[in-house]
């Protein structure tokens, strides 16, 4: 698509929210990205949290963490440009090591990924010997390498159930752990001090228990049950959707909870008049751009600062200068791959 066609498409989708000068500029940058993508024979994966001008123009595939991991595993293109954060790009590298994986920002952090280290996981394994360890995909490769299986927000319950155990360690998101525990009937503990390795407590006191960690998503922890009460009072017909990284109190008051893609599909299917999304705010913009007939309420602007680092301009420079290349040491990659592949075997599949 050339810049004129991209401009018309962006105007149609974002004309109400983006000034004319920006529409023209973004269309030109998007055209450059598409040209470089073809030149490099690259695939671009775009997470649902990408800014609207990027999300609606350059990705070959859009989706949540699970969908994009599957796309990364399947591609035969030599370059994978991951428009998401670092742990997602690392997962692409773990799954497809012969490809060059590019992250359009040098940092691209995540408060959950930064909340736990490989040494923490080793200490947990020593404290609770024999207890399987599930890690949320929002962790770095060295942490995945120490765990038994990964999960994402779209398959966390299925992954825990697949273990057929009544005790599980679930890392590092305390709120996701609590939300999954509620659905799987487990009792959650977040140990302040780990039991000594090999002590009786580790083996006996944890039946029907999910042992969680104290990580939080800095975006989703900002939503409160009071926010929901206040919006429902003003708009009784609103449908409220919350990502499972929100607190269990928030999720309990919402009408729907699921991964980013599950929330998009729920809005698309629903006949409700208005929606409130309790998640990163660009996703609401992306839904409105694709479905202008859906009324999206704005509670506040909780933008993930890490996802916000990735723009169309950064994506263009990533392809132009082949930066920033994601590498995972081979010994770590091989062990992390086991955890990721076990998760992919649980499902669900994407079409
Ligand atoms: P999803 O897997 O639901 O896309 O979530 C990723 C994430 O980081 C949400 O904050
Ligand atoms: Fe991490 Fe939260 Fe940002 Fe998702 S929204 S990438 S969990 S900080």
């Amino acid at each position: 698509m050339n810049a004129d066609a991209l401009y018309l498409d962006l105007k149609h989708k974002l004309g109400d929210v983006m000034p004319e000068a920006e529409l023209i500029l973004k269309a030109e940058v998007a055209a450059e990205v598409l040209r470089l993508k073809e030149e490099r024979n690259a695939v671009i994966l775009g997470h649902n949290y990408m800014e609207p001008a990027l999300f609606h123009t350059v990705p070959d595939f859009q989706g949540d963490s699970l969908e994009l991991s599957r796309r990364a595993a399947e591609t035969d293109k030599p370059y994978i440009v991951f428009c998401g954060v670092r742990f997602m790009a690392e997962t692409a590298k773990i799954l497809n090591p012969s490809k060059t994986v590019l992250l359009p920002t040098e940092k691209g952090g995540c408060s959950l990924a930064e909340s736990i280290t490989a040494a923490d996981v080793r200490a947990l394994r020593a404290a609770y010997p024999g207890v399987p360890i599930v890690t949320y995909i929002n962790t770095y490769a060295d942490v995945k390498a120490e765990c038994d299986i990964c999960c994402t927000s779209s398959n966390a319950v299925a992954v825990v159930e697949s273990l057929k155990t009544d005790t599980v360690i679930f890392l590092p998101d305390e709120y996701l752990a609590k939300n999954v525990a509620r659905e799987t009937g487990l009792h959650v503990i977040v140990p302040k001090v780990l039991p000594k390795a090999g002590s009786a407590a580790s083996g006996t006191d944890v039946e029907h228990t999910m042992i969680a960690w104290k990580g939080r998503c800095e975006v989703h922890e900002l939503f409160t049950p009071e926010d929901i009460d206040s919006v429902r009072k003003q708009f009784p017909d609103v449908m409220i959707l919350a990502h499972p990284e929100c607190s269990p109190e928030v999720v309990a008051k919402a009408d729907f909870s699921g991964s980013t893609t599950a929330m998009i599909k729920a809005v698309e299917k629903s006949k409700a008049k208005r929606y409130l999304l309790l998640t990163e705010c660009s996703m609401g913009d992306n839904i409105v751009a694709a479905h202008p007939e859906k009324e999206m309420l704005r509670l506040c602007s909780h933008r993930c600062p890490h996802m916000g680092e990735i723009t169309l301009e950064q994506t263009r420079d990533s392809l132009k200068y082949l930066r920033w290349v994601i590498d995972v040491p081979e010994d770590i990659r091989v062990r992390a791959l086991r955890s990721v592949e076990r998760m992919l075997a649980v499902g669900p599949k994407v079409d």
Side-chain angles (χ1 to χ4, degrees), residues 49 85 110-112 138 217 219-220 245 304 306-307:
Y49 287 165
V85 286
C110 166
S111 63
L112 284 172
N138 296 37
C217 164
V219 177
H220 291 91
E245 289 167 11
C304 170
H306 315 292
M307 291 282 184

Side-chain angles (χ1 to χ4, degrees), residues 45-284:
L45 307 178
H47 187 261
N48 292 324
Y49 287 165
M50 288 299 102
E51 61 163 12
L54 186 164
F55 186 79
H56 289 288
T57 52
V58 298
D60 297 285
F61 299 104
Q62 303 152 322
D64 62 18
S65 311
L66 183 65
E67 292 169 310
L68 296 183
S69 302
R70 290 194 189 280
R71 298 299 181 195
E74 284 162 7
T75 191
D76 56 2
K77 303 272 185 189
Y79 292 100
I80 301 171
V81 181
F82 211 119
C83 293
V85 286
R86 178 166 292 268
F87 74 80
M88 296 179 177
E90 269 193 5
T91 307
K93 185 69 185 178
I94 290 167
L95 282 160
N96 215 335
S98 64
K99 312 298 177 198
T100 300
V101 177
L102 300 171
L103 181 67
T105 173
E106 197 171 1
K107 291 186 268 158
C110 166
S111 63
L112 284 172
E114 265 117 61
S115 73
I116 191 158
T117 65
D120 292 328
V121 183
R122 286 193 290 271
L124 279 156
R125 201 180 281 286
Y128 301 100
V131 179
I133 305 183
V134 179
T135 180
Y136 194 28
I137 200 157
N138 296 37
T139 46
Y140 293 122
D142 57 341
V143 167
K144 290 185 174 80
E146 298 291 338
C147 296
D148 298 304
I149 186 166
C150 284
C151 73
T152 74
S153 58
S154 59
N155 62 13
V157 170
V159 164
V160 169
E161 284 174 345
S162 77
L163 296 172
K164 310 224 178 308
T165 167
D166 64 5
T167 309
V168 66
I169 299 173
F170 189 102
L171 311 170
D173 186 347
E174 178 186 341
Y175 286 163
L176 180 65
K178 288 179 171 167
N179 288 320
V180 173
R182 203 192 51 238
E183 285 194 54
T184 51
L186 296 172
H187 154 77
V188 181
I189 55 167
V190 187
K192 283 209 171 59
V193 182
L194 295 184
K196 272 209 190 94
S199 72
S202 48
T204 53
D205 294 352
V206 292
E207 273 174 32
H208 303 289
T209 295
M210 177 175 278
I211 298 147
W213 191 248
K214 52 189 182 303
R216 301 262 179 93
C217 164
E218 69 192 84
V219 177
H220 291 91
E221 71 173 348
L222 300 176
F223 297 108
T224 65
E226 292 73 34
D227 291 333
I228 296 190
D229 293 341
S230 149
V231 171
R232 283 212 199 278
K233 215 156 135 197
Q234 297 169 68
F235 304 99
D237 56 357
V238 67
M239 176 180 182
I240 300 183
L241 303 96
H243 194 276
E245 289 167 11
C246 293
S247 75
E249 293 77 19
V250 165
V251 168
K253 279 183 175 253
D255 301 301
F256 179 87
S257 178
S259 78
T260 52
T261 293
M263 286 193 281
I264 294 171
K265 287 187 177 153
V267 170
E268 284 172 349
K269 262 201 353 224
S270 156
K271 299 228 174 338
K273 199 150 171 261
R274 318 187 153 84
Y275 304 87
L276 177 70
L277 284 181
L278 301 180
T279 192
E280 206 274 352
C281 63
S282 276
M283 204 174 91

